[in-house]
Amino acid sequence: LRRYIERLVTTARNADLNTHRQVFAALQSKEATKKLINEIAPKYEGRNGGYTSIIKTRIRRGDATEMAFISFV
């Protein structure tokens, strides 16, 4: 997940028509594409990566799946 989202944010920082097309091809949602390009990506203009924070929390009881909180830094 980290690799996927960080590549999208890095691509979205350059807001032009080709960027919109690339991000939309990955997300398949107009609303998500607009939010990523207009709201999220401009916050990380001066940052060279490390946009996400993943904190492992616990193991789920029913099927022993690892749980985690995922957020933008």
Side-chain angles (χ1 to χ4, degrees), residues 1-27:
L1 177 71
R2 176 176 283 169
R3 184 183 322 166
Y4 181 76
I5 208 65
E6 295 216 2
R7 286 181 181 172
L8 278 177
V9 173
T10 302
T11 303
R13 287 181 4 187
N14 177 19
D16 60 356
L17 181 60
N18 192 32
T19 299
H20 281 271
R21 289 180 179 162
Q22 288 176 344
V23 173
F24 180 74
L27 296 178

Side-chain angles (χ1 to χ4, degrees), residues 8-67:
L8 278 177
V9 173
T10 302
T11 303
R13 287 181 4 187
N14 177 19
D16 60 356
L17 181 60
N18 192 32
T19 299
H20 281 271
R21 289 180 179 162
Q22 288 176 344
V23 173
F24 180 74
L27 296 178
Q28 294 295 310
S29 170
K30 287 184 182 181
E31 294 81 22
T33 301
K34 286 180 184 178
K35 185 169 183 171
L36 179 63
I37 291 175
N38 296 331
E39 296 176 21
I40 297 172
K43 292 179 184 177
Y44 301 107
E45 281 294 325
R47 194 173 179 114
N48 291 330
Y51 311 120
T52 57
S53 171
I54 299 175
I55 302 169
K56 294 182 180 179
T57 57
R58 63 184 178 94
I59 295 177
R60 189 165 47 197
R61 241 176 127 181
D63 57 357
T65 302
E66 292 184 7
M67 305 289 286

